Amino acid sequence: MPFKPDPSFYPSPASAIQGPTEELAYVVTLNTGTDGDRRPDALCVVDVQDDSESYGQVVGRLDMPNVGDELHHFGWNACSSALCPWAPHPHVERRYLLVPGLRSSRMHVIDVKDDPVNPRLVKVVEAGTIARRTNYSRPHTTHCGPDGIYVSALGAPDGGGPGGVFLLDHDDFEPLGAWELDRGPQHLAYDVWWNIGFDTLLTSEWGTPSMVEDGLVPDLLLAGEYGRRLHVWDMRRRRHRQEIDLGPEQQMVLELRPAHDPSRPYGFVGVVVSTADLSAAVWLWRRDDDGVRAQKVIEIPPEPADPADLPPALQPFSAVPPLITDIDLSVDDSTLYVSCWGTGELKRFDVTDPEHPKETGSVHLGGIVRRAAHPAAGALKGGPQMVEVSRDGRRVYLTNSLYASWDAQFYPAGIDGWMVKLDSEPNGGAFAPDPDFFVEFAGERPHQVRLQGGDASSDSYCFPS
């Protein structure tokens, strides 16, 4: 047990911004070989130290013990939330990465402390254990909380619902059980996050495993059956308090990004597509005396396209939708990044006035039709998907794969895996790809990125800046 808190834990967002620059990035990759030539998925280590001889290269790798996990979102075992005054686990340290297999329902515990470049697998929690103790499967998103490790799960072991949230123990990583004591009307699940200063937890919605594992189901989409709601919970009491319906045309309410400053009672959520016009949107939620309200603050229209250039699912519409698949909020709560995986664009917005975002930059990379090039590569397949921002807000990392079955639908010619870095100057300054940073993943597709020592989407802070 350490005598002092982990130095990568910060009491406030402002102190986190002043912390040391990351030197390594951890990236999960999906192996996409044929059934007869499949390798396990992997956790890769990328050198992001700009004065290093191996800058922009994969310098470490850990293959999983099984084939077919489909590694997806992952997170740290502990973070700055351990400094909350009411936290029962102040002794933990940021040492392990918790890496779920979205297909296999396994949870991998990986130690990166002693040798950060050579991660070491120390435990696998099998799907049967998770199902038996929580009645959930398909773990999707992990977040380190003050009282345990929160894991969202898409559904039940049989592929149906409900989905929800379960907790892992901070010390032995065993499933403790389902988090909810009263779920109310909540059925679909996706992400979980919180406004910790207001004891408010929120969850979002995608679909049950049977709705998403074989790709987007057009009939379900047109019928408005995918997730369209936000759910508001009492974090301490673990009880459902409010359901916010964004409208039947708002389909797939995904990434939750609350304000980092715990005195700010708001956050943003991305909506993949509107069935009314193929637009995508970002909504703002904000707590007031009457509960939580939500309003659309960013809308991004589709782009006209020749049907011959579109995958079959989009040809009847003669347009390519933006498909907002990820958003990320800078640690100082000033800048929101929005990934448009369909059109191949990363947009940057000033959100210092969260109800009135102002676009301050845009970069095109890949895209279903555009296939915009990177300075170090030719035309790109895939588009900006998962986005991660450094704590100081000056570096933005992107990967290009969403989910294997969905990749095949929207990019039927295939996706060549890549990771890029963009330089983003503060106060709406220059915003452009780093020409010296382009990581190719031959035969594999990268998904989420985590940065050594923490990043913009993995920590929650207990004290205001």
Side-chain angles (χ1 to χ4, degrees):
M1 182 183 298
F3 290 100
K4 295 181 179 181
D6 187 313
S8 75
F9 295 171
Y10 302 97
S12 69
S15 59
I17 291 169
Q18 296 168 3
T21 300
E22 69 280 358
E23 297 182 356
L24 298 174
Y26 295 97
V27 187
V28 290
T29 59
L30 164 69
N31 186 282
T32 57
T34 61
D35 289 341
D37 188 32
R38 288 285 296 280
R39 293 180 295 155
D41 298 346
L43 176 72
C44 295
V45 186
V46 178
D47 186 343
V48 296
Q49 188 175 2
D50 59 9
D51 59 353
S52 170
E53 293 183 358
S54 54
Y55 176 66
Q57 298 178 30
V58 175
V59 293
R61 177 185 178 96
L62 173 67
D63 289 309
M64 298 301 108
N66 300 283
V67 172
D69 284 309
E70 184 128 4
L71 304 183
H72 206 67
H73 291 194
F74 67 109
W76 294 103
N77 68 302
C79 61
S80 300
S81 65
L83 299 182
C84 285
W86 51 274
H89 291 81
H91 63 282
V92 295
E93 56 183 337
R94 192 195 304 268
R95 175 170 185 162
Y96 302 98
L97 289 168
L98 285 300
V99 184
L102 190 53
R103 287 266 178 182
S104 68
S105 294
R106 295 185 186 95
M107 181 70 68
H108 306 85
V109 182
I110 299 171
D111 189 344
V112 298
K113 179 183 178 181
D114 294 333
D115 190 352
V117 175
N118 295 291
R120 183 170 60 92
L121 181 67
V122 297
K123 184 170 185 171
V124 177
V125 182
E126 293 291 345
T129 301
I130 294 173
R132 185 171 61 255
R133 297 185 183 177
T134 72
N135 201 34
Y136 288 136
S137 70
R138 282 69 162 196
H140 183 273
T141 297
T142 68
H143 282 306
C144 37
D147 51 349
I149 301 162
Y150 289 65
V151 185
S152 68
L154 294 187
D158 64 0
V165 178
F166 64 91
L167 258 64
L168 298 177
D169 184 79
H170 265 139
D171 297 316
D172 63 9
F173 310 111
E174 288 293 312
L176 296 173
W179 174 81
E180 306 89 353
L181 291 181
D182 176 4
R183 72 169 66 251
Q186 179 268 329
H187 184 76
L188 299 180
Y190 180 79
D191 199 3
V192 55
W193 249 124
W194 45 74
N195 289 113
I196 203 165
F198 294 84
D199 290 331
T200 298
L201 181 143
L202 293 98
T203 60
S204 59
E205 298 186 341
W206 185 16
T208 64
S210 62
M211 295 170 66
V212 304
E213 286 188 333
D214 295 327
L216 178 69
V217 182
D219 289 346
L220 294 178
L221 179 70
L222 295 176
E225 296 296 324
Y226 286 98
R228 69 194 223 195
R229 298 171 179 87
L230 285 174
H231 296 276
V232 183
W233 308 75
D234 184 313
M235 187 173 181
R236 299 275 192 106
R237 297 178 181 272
R238 297 158 55 191
R239 285 172 165 81
H240 191 279
R241 285 291 178 257
Q242 187 180 351
E243 178 185 79
I244 303 174
D245 191 334
L246 304 186
E249 75 285 354
Q250 301 294 316
Q251 288 288 280
M252 293 170 280
V253 183
L254 298 189
E255 307 296 341
L256 297 164
R257 298 291 179 250
H260 295 87
D261 188 320
S263 68
R264 296 170 177 166
Y266 66 83
F268 299 91
V269 63
V271 178
V272 175
V273 68
S274 166
T275 55
D277 56 8
L278 294 187
S279 64
V282 176
W283 290 64
L284 171 76
W285 80 77
R286 183 186 287 277
R287 172 170 284 285
D288 57 28
D289 293 338
D290 298 321
V292 176
R293 58 183 173 86
Q295 66 183 98
K296 187 191 298 184
V297 293
I298 296 171
E299 185 172 80
I300 302 173
E303 296 180 357
D306 186 333
D309 296 329
L310 295 170
L314 296 176
Q315 287 175 356
F317 304 101
S318 299
V320 57
L323 301 178
I324 292 178
T325 53
D326 195 18
I327 61 175
D328 205 5
L329 180 64
S330 63
V331 173
D332 66 0
D333 295 332
S334 72
T335 307
L336 186 72
Y337 295 88
V338 179
S339 284
C340 301
W341 186 62
T343 50
E345 184 178 17
L346 182 71
K347 288 179 172 288
R348 184 181 68 179
F349 293 88
D350 179 337
V351 290
T352 49
D353 179 355
E355 294 189 1
H356 302 94
K358 298 178 181 178
E359 187 169 348
T360 61
S362 171
V363 172
H364 284 98
L365 293 164
I368 292 172
V369 173
R370 186 180 281 110
R371 295 193 63 191
H374 184 273
L380 299 180
K381 295 180 180 179
Q385 208 288 99
M386 294 306 294
V387 52
E388 192 52 80
V389 181
S390 62
R391 292 188 309 278
D392 63 7
R394 292 179 175 271
R395 294 165 301 285
V396 182
Y397 300 89
L398 293 174
T399 53
N400 68 326
S401 174
L402 174 60
Y403 189 42
S405 56
W406 294 54
D407 289 352
Q409 279 184 299
F410 290 97
Y411 288 90
I415 285 180
D416 300 321
W418 46 261
M419 173 187 177
V420 302
K421 189 197 90 174
L422 290 79
D423 294 314
S424 183
E425 294 184 0
N427 302 316
F431 183 45
D434 179 346
D436 298 321
F437 192 103
F438 185 83
V439 187
E440 296 182 80
F441 292 89
E444 294 183 301
R445 297 177 188 170
H447 193 68
Q448 193 175 40
V449 178
R450 286 289 180 220
L451 303 181
Q452 184 183 40
D455 44 60
S457 69
S458 63
D459 278 44
S460 50
Y461 305 95
C462 306
F463 299 91
S465 294

